[in-house]
Amino acid sequence: MTKDTPELPPVHPKHLARDRFGKEALLAAHDITEALAEAGVDDDGVVVLRTDGRRHSLAELEALIDDALAEDAAAGEDPKAR
């Protein structure tokens, strides 16, 4: 470690999972927009937000992240590789 290249602190796996989800969600939204444009659908930039679905508690969301991390670990994937 030098003054020019400080060592970065380790990133918690749950933070990596959250960041990965955010990136994948943005890419999915982009892919949908691109496909709609190619199909000639004029959506006027409308975003549909479903409010009638089930709401997850923070504990349930944390459990979902834990499950995803466990699946990655079982598959031998490195979460930092994404």
Side-chain angles (χ1 to χ4, degrees):
M1 181 169 77
T2 67
K3 290 181 183 178
D4 295 334
T5 57
E7 186 175 323
L8 297 175
V11 178
H12 193 280
K14 288 183 183 181
H15 293 204
L16 288 173
R18 184 201 64 214
D19 290 347
R20 184 178 74 217
F21 171 78
K23 289 176 189 173
E24 289 177 4
L26 284 174
L27 289 173
H30 175 73
D31 290 344
I32 291 168
T33 301
E34 204 170 59
L36 289 172
E38 287 176 6
V41 176
D42 183 16
D43 67 352
D44 289 331
V46 176
V47 175
V48 177
L49 173 64
R50 291 193 59 183
T51 58
D52 60 345
R54 182 172 177 266
R55 298 281 190 227
H56 293 285
S57 69
L58 291 178
E60 289 172 318
L61 292 173
E62 186 173 12
L64 288 171
I65 291 172
D66 289 339
D67 291 345
L69 291 172
E71 287 175 14
D72 286 353
E77 292 184 25
D78 179 7
K80 294 180 186 176
R82 291 186 182 195

Coordinates of all heavy atoms in Angstrom, one line a residue:
M1 N 0.9 -1.2 0.0 CA 0.0 0.0 0.0 C 0.9 1.2 0.0 O 1.8 1.3 0.8 CB -0.9 0.0 1.2 CG -1.8 1.1 1.3 SD -3.1 1.0 2.6 CE -2.2 1.3 4.0
T2 N 0.6 2.2 -0.9 CA 1.3 3.4 -0.9 C 0.3 4.6 -0.8 O -0.9 4.4 -0.7 CB 2.0 3.6 -2.3 OG1 1.0 3.7 -3.3 CG2 2.9 2.4 -2.6
K3 N 0.8 5.8 -0.7 CA 0.0 6.9 -0.6 C -0.9 7.1 -1.8 O -2.0 7.6 -1.7 CB 0.8 8.2 -0.4 CG 1.5 8.3 0.9 CD 2.3 9.6 1.0 CE 3.1 9.6 2.3 NZ 3.9 10.9 2.4
D4 N -0.4 6.7 -3.0 CA -1.2 6.8 -4.2 C -2.3 5.7 -4.4 O -3.2 5.9 -5.1 CB -0.3 6.8 -5.4 CG 0.7 8.0 -5.4 OD1 0.3 9.0 -4.8 OD2 1.8 7.8 -6.0
T5 N -2.1 4.6 -3.7 CA -3.0 3.5 -3.9 C -3.5 3.0 -2.5 O -2.9 2.0 -2.0 CB -2.4 2.3 -4.7 OG1 -1.2 1.9 -4.0 CG2 -2.1 2.7 -6.1
P6 N -4.4 3.7 -1.9 CA -4.8 3.2 -0.5 C -5.6 1.9 -0.6 O -6.2 1.6 -1.6 CB -5.8 4.3 -0.1 CG -6.2 5.0 -1.3 CD -5.1 4.8 -2.3
E7 N -5.4 1.1 0.4 CA -6.1 -0.2 0.4 C -7.6 0.0 0.7 O -7.9 0.8 1.7 CB -5.5 -1.1 1.5 CG -6.0 -2.5 1.5 CD -5.3 -3.4 2.5 OE1 -4.1 -3.2 2.6 OE2 -5.9 -4.2 3.1
L8 N -8.5 -0.6 -0.1 CA -9.9 -0.4 0.2 C -10.3 -1.4 1.2 O -9.9 -2.6 1.2 CB -10.6 -0.7 -1.2 CG -10.3 0.3 -2.3 CD1 -11.1 -0.1 -3.5 CD2 -10.8 1.7 -1.9
P9 N -11.3 -1.1 2.0 CA -11.8 -2.0 3.0 C -12.6 -3.1 2.4 O -13.1 -2.9 1.3 CB -12.7 -1.1 3.9 CG -13.1 0.0 3.0 CD -11.9 0.2 2.1
P10 N -12.7 -4.3 3.0 CA -13.4 -5.4 2.4 C -14.9 -5.0 2.3 O -15.4 -4.3 3.1 CB -13.2 -6.5 3.3 CG -12.8 -5.9 4.6 CD -12.1 -4.6 4.3
V11 N -15.6 -5.5 1.2 CA -17.0 -5.2 1.0 C -17.8 -6.4 1.6 O -17.5 -7.6 1.2 CB -17.3 -5.0 -0.4 CG1 -18.8 -4.7 -0.7 CG2 -16.5 -3.8 -1.0
H12 N -18.8 -6.1 2.4 CA -19.6 -7.2 2.9 C -20.4 -7.9 1.8 O -20.9 -7.2 0.9 CB -20.6 -6.6 3.9 CG -21.3 -7.6 4.8 ND1 -22.4 -8.3 4.3 CD2 -21.1 -8.1 6.0 CE1 -22.8 -9.2 5.2 NE2 -22.0 -9.0 6.3
P13 N -20.5 -9.2 1.8 CA -21.2 -10.0 0.8 C -22.6 -9.5 0.5 O -23.1 -9.5 -0.6 CB -21.2 -11.4 1.2 CG -20.0 -11.5 2.2 CD -19.9 -10.1 2.8
K14 N -23.3 -9.1 1.5 CA -24.7 -8.6 1.4 C -24.7 -7.3 0.6 O -25.6 -7.1 -0.2 CB -25.4 -8.4 2.7 CG -25.7 -9.7 3.4 CD -26.5 -9.6 4.6 CE -26.7 -10.9 5.3 NZ -27.5 -10.8 6.5
H15 N -23.7 -6.5 0.7 CA -23.6 -5.2 0.0 C -23.3 -5.6 -1.5 O -23.9 -4.9 -2.4 CB -22.5 -4.3 0.5 CG -22.9 -3.8 1.9 ND1 -22.3 -2.6 2.3 CD2 -23.6 -4.2 2.9 CE1 -22.8 -2.4 3.6 NE2 -23.6 -3.4 3.9
L16 N -22.5 -6.6 -1.7 CA -22.2 -7.0 -3.1 C -23.5 -7.5 -3.8 O -23.8 -7.2 -4.9 CB -21.1 -8.1 -3.1 CG -19.7 -7.6 -2.8 CD1 -18.8 -8.8 -2.7 CD2 -19.2 -6.6 -3.9
A17 N -24.3 -8.3 -3.0 CA -25.5 -8.9 -3.5 C -26.5 -7.8 -3.9 O -27.2 -7.8 -4.9 CB -26.1 -9.8 -2.5
R18 N -26.6 -6.8 -3.0 CA -27.5 -5.6 -3.3 C -27.1 -4.9 -4.5 O -27.9 -4.5 -5.4 CB -27.6 -4.7 -2.1 CG -28.6 -3.6 -2.2 CD -28.3 -2.4 -1.3 NE -27.0 -1.8 -1.7 CZ -26.2 -1.3 -0.9 NH1 -26.4 -1.2 0.4 NH2 -25.0 -0.8 -1.3
D19 N -25.8 -4.6 -4.6 CA -25.3 -3.9 -5.8 C -25.5 -4.7 -7.1 O -25.8 -4.2 -8.1 CB -23.8 -3.6 -5.6 CG -23.5 -2.6 -4.6 OD1 -24.4 -1.9 -4.1 OD2 -22.3 -2.4 -4.1
R20 N -25.3 -6.0 -7.0 CA -25.5 -6.9 -8.1 C -26.9 -6.9 -8.6 O -27.3 -6.8 -9.7 CB -25.1 -8.3 -7.8 CG -25.2 -9.3 -9.0 CD -24.7 -10.7 -8.7 NE -25.7 -11.3 -7.9 CZ -25.5 -12.1 -6.9 NH1 -24.3 -12.4 -6.5 NH2 -26.5 -12.7 -6.2
F21 N -27.9 -6.9 -7.6 CA -29.3 -6.8 -7.9 C -29.6 -5.5 -8.6 O -30.4 -5.5 -9.6 CB -30.1 -7.0 -6.6 CG -31.6 -6.7 -6.9 CD1 -32.4 -7.7 -7.5 CD2 -32.2 -5.5 -6.6 CE1 -33.7 -7.4 -7.8 CE2 -33.5 -5.2 -6.9 CZ -34.3 -6.2 -7.5
G22 N -29.1 -4.4 -8.1 CA -29.4 -3.1 -8.7 C -28.9 -3.0 -10.1 O -29.6 -2.6 -11.0
K23 N -27.7 -3.5 -10.4 CA -27.2 -3.5 -11.7 C -28.0 -4.4 -12.6 O -28.3 -4.0 -13.8 CB -25.7 -4.0 -11.7 CG -24.8 -3.0 -11.1 CD -23.4 -3.6 -11.1 CE -22.4 -2.8 -10.2 NZ -21.1 -3.4 -10.0
E24 N -28.4 -5.6 -12.2 CA -29.2 -6.5 -13.0 C -30.6 -5.9 -13.2 O -31.1 -6.1 -14.3 CB -29.3 -7.9 -12.3 CG -27.9 -8.6 -12.4 CD -27.9 -10.0 -11.7 OE1 -29.0 -10.4 -11.2 OE2 -26.9 -10.6 -11.7
A25 N -31.2 -5.3 -12.3 CA -32.5 -4.6 -12.5 C -32.4 -3.5 -13.5 O -33.3 -3.4 -14.4 CB -33.0 -4.1 -11.1
L26 N -31.4 -2.7 -13.5 CA -31.2 -1.7 -14.5 C -31.0 -2.3 -15.9 O -31.6 -1.8 -16.8 CB -30.0 -0.8 -14.1 CG -30.3 0.2 -13.0 CD1 -29.0 1.0 -12.6 CD2 -31.4 1.2 -13.3
L27 N -30.2 -3.3 -15.9 CA -30.0 -3.9 -17.2 C -31.2 -4.6 -17.8 O -31.5 -4.5 -19.0 CB -28.9 -5.0 -17.1 CG -27.4 -4.4 -16.9 CD1 -26.5 -5.6 -16.7 CD2 -27.0 -3.6 -18.1
A28 N -32.0 -5.2 -16.9 CA -33.3 -5.8 -17.3 C -34.2 -4.7 -17.8 O -34.9 -4.9 -18.9 CB -33.9 -6.5 -16.2
A29 N -34.3 -3.6 -17.1 CA -35.2 -2.5 -17.6 C -34.7 -1.9 -18.9 O -35.6 -1.6 -19.8 CB -35.2 -1.3 -16.5
H30 N -33.4 -1.8 -19.1 CA -32.9 -1.4 -20.4 C -33.3 -2.4 -21.5 O -33.7 -1.9 -22.6 CB -31.4 -1.2 -20.3 CG -30.8 -0.8 -21.6 ND1 -30.9 0.4 -22.2 CD2 -30.0 -1.6 -22.5 CE1 -30.3 0.4 -23.4 NE2 -29.7 -0.8 -23.6
D31 N -33.1 -3.7 -21.2 CA -33.4 -4.7 -22.2 C -34.9 -4.6 -22.6 O -35.2 -4.8 -23.8 CB -33.1 -6.1 -21.7 CG -31.5 -6.3 -21.6 OD1 -30.8 -5.5 -22.2 OD2 -31.1 -7.2 -20.9
I32 N -35.8 -4.4 -21.6 CA -37.2 -4.3 -21.9 C -37.5 -3.1 -22.8 O -38.2 -3.2 -23.8 CB -38.0 -4.3 -20.6 CG1 -37.9 -5.7 -19.9 CG2 -39.4 -3.9 -20.9 CD1 -38.4 -5.6 -18.5
T33 N -36.9 -2.0 -22.4 CA -37.1 -0.8 -23.2 C -36.6 -0.9 -24.6 O -37.3 -0.5 -25.6 CB -36.4 0.4 -22.5 OG1 -36.9 0.6 -21.2 CG2 -36.5 1.7 -23.3
E34 N -35.4 -1.6 -24.8 CA -34.9 -1.8 -26.1 C -35.8 -2.7 -26.9 O -36.0 -2.5 -28.1 CB -33.5 -2.4 -25.9 CG -32.6 -2.2 -27.1 CD -31.2 -2.6 -26.8 OE1 -31.0 -3.8 -26.4 OE2 -30.3 -1.8 -26.8
A35 N -36.3 -3.8 -26.3 CA -37.2 -4.7 -27.0 C -38.5 -4.1 -27.4 O -39.0 -4.3 -28.5 CB -37.4 -5.9 -26.1
L36 N -39.0 -3.2 -26.6 CA -40.2 -2.5 -26.9 C -40.0 -1.6 -28.1 O -40.8 -1.4 -29.0 CB -40.8 -1.7 -25.7 CG -41.4 -2.6 -24.6 CD1 -41.7 -1.7 -23.3 CD2 -42.6 -3.3 -25.0
A37 N -38.9 -0.9 -28.1 CA -38.5 0.0 -29.1 C -38.4 -0.7 -30.5 O -38.9 -0.3 -31.5 CB -37.3 0.8 -28.8
E38 N -37.7 -1.9 -30.4 CA -37.5 -2.6 -31.6 C -38.9 -3.2 -32.2 O -39.0 -3.3 -33.4 CB -36.6 -3.8 -31.4 CG -35.1 -3.4 -31.2 CD -34.2 -4.5 -30.8 OE1 -34.7 -5.7 -30.8 OE2 -33.0 -4.3 -30.6
A39 N -39.8 -3.5 -31.3 CA -41.1 -4.0 -31.7 C -42.0 -2.9 -32.1 O -43.1 -3.1 -32.6 CB -41.7 -4.7 -30.5
G40 N -41.6 -1.6 -32.0 CA -42.4 -0.5 -32.4 C -43.5 -0.1 -31.4 O -44.4 0.6 -31.7
V41 N -43.4 -0.6 -30.2 CA -44.3 -0.2 -29.1 C -44.0 1.2 -28.6 O -42.9 1.5 -28.2 CB -44.3 -1.3 -28.0 CG1 -45.3 -0.8 -26.9 CG2 -44.6 -2.6 -28.5
D42 N -45.0 2.0 -28.6 CA -44.9 3.4 -28.1 C -45.4 3.4 -26.6 O -46.6 3.4 -26.4 CB -45.6 4.4 -28.9 CG -45.4 5.8 -28.4 OD1 -44.5 6.0 -27.6 OD2 -46.2 6.7 -28.8
D43 N -44.5 3.4 -25.7 CA -45.0 3.2 -24.3 C -44.9 4.6 -23.5 O -45.3 4.7 -22.4 CB -44.1 2.2 -23.5 CG -42.7 2.7 -23.3 OD1 -42.3 3.7 -23.9 OD2 -41.9 2.0 -22.6
D44 N -44.5 5.6 -24.2 CA -44.5 7.0 -23.6 C -43.7 7.0 -22.3 O -43.9 7.8 -21.4 CB -45.9 7.5 -23.3 CG -46.6 7.9 -24.6 OD1 -45.9 8.3 -25.6 OD2 -47.9 7.8 -24.6
G45 N -42.8 6.1 -22.1 CA -41.9 6.0 -20.9 C -42.7 5.7 -19.7 O -42.3 6.0 -18.6
V46 N -43.8 5.0 -19.8 CA -44.7 4.7 -18.7 C -44.1 3.5 -17.9 O -43.6 2.6 -18.4 CB -46.1 4.3 -19.1 CG1 -46.9 3.8 -17.9 CG2 -46.8 5.4 -19.8
V47 N -44.0 3.7 -16.6 CA -43.5 2.7 -15.7 C -44.7 2.2 -14.8 O -45.4 3.0 -14.3 CB -42.4 3.2 -14.8 CG1 -42.0 2.1 -13.8 CG2 -41.2 3.7 -15.6
V48 N -44.9 0.9 -14.8 CA -46.0 0.4 -14.0 C -45.5 -0.1 -12.7 O -44.5 -0.9 -12.6 CB -46.7 -0.8 -14.8 CG1 -47.8 -1.4 -13.9 CG2 -47.2 -0.3 -16.1
L49 N -46.1 0.4 -11.6 CA -45.7 0.0 -10.3 C -46.9 -0.8 -9.7 O -48.0 -0.2 -9.5 CB -45.4 1.2 -9.4 CG -45.2 0.9 -7.9 CD1 -43.9 0.1 -7.8 CD2 -45.0 2.2 -7.2
R50 N -46.7 -2.0 -9.4 CA -47.8 -2.9 -8.8 C -47.8 -2.6 -7.3 O -46.8 -2.7 -6.6 CB -47.5 -4.3 -9.1 CG -47.7 -4.7 -10.5 CD -47.8 -6.1 -10.7 NE -48.9 -6.7 -9.9 CZ -49.2 -7.9 -9.8 NH1 -48.5 -8.8 -10.5 NH2 -50.3 -8.3 -9.1
T51 N -48.9 -2.2 -6.8 CA -49.0 -1.9 -5.4 C -49.9 -3.0 -4.7 O -50.2 -2.9 -3.5 CB -49.6 -0.5 -5.1 OG1 -50.9 -0.4 -5.8 CG2 -48.7 0.5 -5.7
D52 N -50.4 -3.9 -5.5 CA -51.3 -4.9 -4.9 C -50.6 -6.2 -4.5 O -51.2 -7.2 -4.0 CB -52.5 -5.3 -5.8 CG -52.0 -5.8 -7.2 OD1 -50.8 -5.7 -7.4 OD2 -52.8 -6.4 -7.9
G53 N -49.3 -6.3 -4.6 CA -48.6 -7.5 -4.3 C -48.2 -7.5 -2.9 O -48.4 -6.6 -2.1
R54 N -47.6 -8.7 -2.5 CA -47.2 -8.9 -1.1 C -46.0 -8.0 -0.8 O -45.1 -7.8 -1.6 CB -46.8 -10.4 -1.0 CG -46.3 -10.8 0.4 CD -46.2 -12.3 0.4 NE -45.7 -12.6 1.7 CZ -44.4 -12.8 2.1 NH1 -43.5 -12.7 1.1 NH2 -44.0 -13.1 3.3
R55 N -45.9 -7.5 0.4 CA -44.8 -6.7 0.8 C -43.9 -7.6 1.7 O -44.3 -8.3 2.5 CB -45.3 -5.5 1.7 CG -46.2 -4.6 1.0 CD -45.4 -3.7 0.1 NE -46.2 -2.6 -0.4 CZ -46.2 -2.2 -1.7 NH1 -45.4 -2.9 -2.5 NH2 -47.0 -1.3 -2.1
H56 N -42.6 -7.5 1.4 CA -41.6 -8.2 2.2 C -41.1 -7.4 3.3 O -40.8 -6.2 3.1 CB -40.4 -8.6 1.3 CG -40.8 -9.6 0.2 ND1 -41.0 -11.0 0.5 CD2 -41.0 -9.5 -1.1 CE1 -41.3 -11.6 -0.6 NE2 -41.3 -10.8 -1.6
S57 N -40.9 -8.0 4.4 CA -40.3 -7.3 5.5 C -38.8 -7.2 5.3 O -38.2 -7.9 4.4 CB -40.5 -8.0 6.9 OG -39.9 -9.2 6.9
L58 N -38.1 -6.4 6.0 CA -36.6 -6.3 5.9 C -36.0 -7.7 6.2 O -35.0 -8.1 5.6 CB -36.0 -5.2 6.8 CG -36.4 -3.8 6.3 CD1 -35.8 -2.8 7.3 CD2 -35.9 -3.5 4.9
A59 N -36.5 -8.4 7.2 CA -36.0 -9.7 7.6 C -36.2 -10.7 6.4 O -35.3 -11.5 6.1 CB -36.7 -10.2 8.8
E60 N -37.3 -10.6 5.7 CA -37.5 -11.5 4.6 C -36.6 -11.1 3.4 O -36.1 -12.0 2.8 CB -39.0 -11.4 4.1 CG -40.0 -12.0 5.1 CD -41.4 -11.8 4.7 OE1 -41.7 -10.6 4.3 OE2 -42.2 -12.7 4.8
L61 N -36.4 -9.9 3.2 CA -35.4 -9.5 2.1 C -34.0 -9.9 2.5 O -33.3 -10.4 1.6 CB -35.5 -7.9 1.9 CG -36.8 -7.4 1.3 CD1 -36.8 -5.9 1.3 CD2 -37.0 -8.0 -0.1
E62 N -33.6 -9.8 3.7 CA -32.3 -10.3 4.2 C -32.2 -11.8 4.0 O -31.2 -12.3 3.5 CB -32.1 -9.9 5.6 CG -30.7 -10.2 6.1 CD -30.3 -9.7 7.5 OE1 -31.3 -9.3 8.2 OE2 -29.2 -9.8 7.8
A63 N -33.3 -12.5 4.2 CA -33.3 -13.9 4.0 C -33.1 -14.3 2.5 O -32.4 -15.2 2.2 CB -34.5 -14.6 4.6
L64 N -33.8 -13.5 1.7 CA -33.6 -13.7 0.2 C -32.2 -13.5 -0.2 O -31.6 -14.3 -1.0 CB -34.6 -12.8 -0.5 CG -36.0 -13.1 -0.5 CD1 -36.8 -12.0 -1.1 CD2 -36.3 -14.4 -1.2
I65 N -31.6 -12.5 0.3 CA -30.1 -12.2 0.0 C -29.3 -13.3 0.5 O -28.4 -13.8 -0.2 CB -29.7 -10.8 0.5 CG1 -30.4 -9.7 -0.2 CG2 -28.2 -10.7 0.4 CD1 -30.2 -8.3 0.4
D66 N -29.5 -13.8 1.7 CA -28.7 -14.9 2.3 C -28.9 -16.1 1.5 O -27.9 -16.8 1.2 CB -29.2 -15.2 3.7 CG -28.8 -14.1 4.7 OD1 -27.8 -13.3 4.4 OD2 -29.4 -14.0 5.8
D67 N -30.1 -16.4 1.0 CA -30.3 -17.6 0.1 C -29.5 -17.5 -1.2 O -28.9 -18.4 -1.6 CB -31.8 -17.8 -0.2 CG -32.6 -18.2 1.1 OD1 -32.0 -18.6 2.1 OD2 -33.9 -18.1 1.0
A68 N -29.6 -16.3 -1.8 CA -28.8 -16.1 -3.0 C -27.3 -16.3 -2.8 O -26.7 -16.9 -3.6 CB -29.1 -14.7 -3.6
L69 N -26.8 -15.7 -1.7 CA -25.4 -15.9 -1.4 C -25.1 -17.4 -1.2 O -24.0 -17.8 -1.6 CB -25.0 -15.0 -0.2 CG -25.0 -13.5 -0.4 CD1 -24.8 -12.8 0.9 CD2 -24.0 -13.1 -1.5
A70 N -25.9 -18.1 -0.5 CA -25.7 -19.5 -0.2 C -25.7 -20.3 -1.5 O -24.9 -21.2 -1.7 CB -26.8 -20.0 0.7
E71 N -26.6 -19.9 -2.5 CA -26.6 -20.6 -3.8 C -25.4 -20.3 -4.5 O -24.8 -21.2 -5.2 CB -27.8 -20.1 -4.6 CG -29.2 -20.7 -4.1 CD -30.3 -20.1 -4.8 OE1 -30.2 -19.5 -5.9 OE2 -31.5 -20.3 -4.3
D72 N -24.9 -19.1 -4.5 CA -23.6 -18.7 -5.2 C -22.5 -19.5 -4.6 O -21.6 -20.0 -5.3 CB -23.3 -17.2 -5.1 CG -24.2 -16.4 -6.0 OD1 -25.0 -17.0 -6.8 OD2 -24.1 -15.2 -5.9
A73 N -22.4 -19.6 -3.3 CA -21.4 -20.3 -2.6 C -21.4 -21.8 -2.9 O -20.4 -22.5 -3.2 CB -21.4 -20.1 -1.1
A74 N -22.6 -22.4 -3.0 CA -22.8 -23.8 -3.3 C -22.4 -24.1 -4.8 O -21.8 -25.2 -5.1 CB -24.2 -24.3 -3.1
A75 N -22.6 -23.1 -5.6 CA -22.2 -23.3 -7.0 C -20.7 -22.9 -7.3 O -20.2 -23.1 -8.4 CB -23.1 -22.4 -7.9
G76 N -20.0 -22.5 -6.2 CA -18.6 -22.1 -6.3 C -18.4 -20.8 -7.0 O -17.3 -20.6 -7.5
E77 N -19.4 -19.9 -7.0 CA -19.2 -18.6 -7.7 C -18.6 -17.6 -6.7 O -18.9 -17.7 -5.5 CB -20.6 -18.1 -8.1 CG -21.2 -18.9 -9.2 CD -22.5 -18.2 -9.7 OE1 -22.7 -17.0 -9.5 OE2 -23.3 -18.9 -10.2
D78 N -17.8 -16.8 -7.3 CA -17.2 -15.7 -6.5 C -18.1 -14.5 -6.7 O -18.2 -13.9 -7.8 CB -15.8 -15.4 -7.0 CG -15.1 -14.3 -6.2 OD1 -15.7 -13.8 -5.2 OD2 -14.0 -13.9 -6.6
P79 N -18.8 -14.0 -5.6 CA -19.7 -12.8 -5.8 C -19.0 -11.6 -6.3 O -19.6 -10.7 -6.9 CB -20.2 -12.6 -4.4 CG -19.5 -13.4 -3.4 CD -18.7 -14.4 -4.2
K80 N -17.7 -11.5 -6.1 CA -17.0 -10.3 -6.6 C -16.7 -10.4 -8.1 O -16.4 -9.4 -8.7 CB -15.6 -10.2 -5.9 CG -15.7 -9.9 -4.4 CD -14.4 -9.8 -3.8 CE -14.5 -9.6 -2.3 NZ -13.2 -9.6 -1.6
A81 N -16.9 -11.5 -8.7 CA -16.7 -11.7 -10.1 C -17.8 -11.1 -11.0 O -17.6 -11.0 -12.2 CB -16.5 -13.2 -10.5
R82 N -18.9 -10.8 -10.4 CA -20.0 -10.2 -11.2 C -19.9 -8.8 -11.4 O -19.4 -8.0 -10.9 CB -21.3 -10.5 -10.5 CG -21.6 -12.0 -10.6 CD -22.9 -12.3 -10.0 NE -23.1 -13.7 -10.1 CZ -24.3 -14.3 -10.0 NH1 -25.3 -13.6 -9.8 NH2 -24.4 -15.6 -10.0

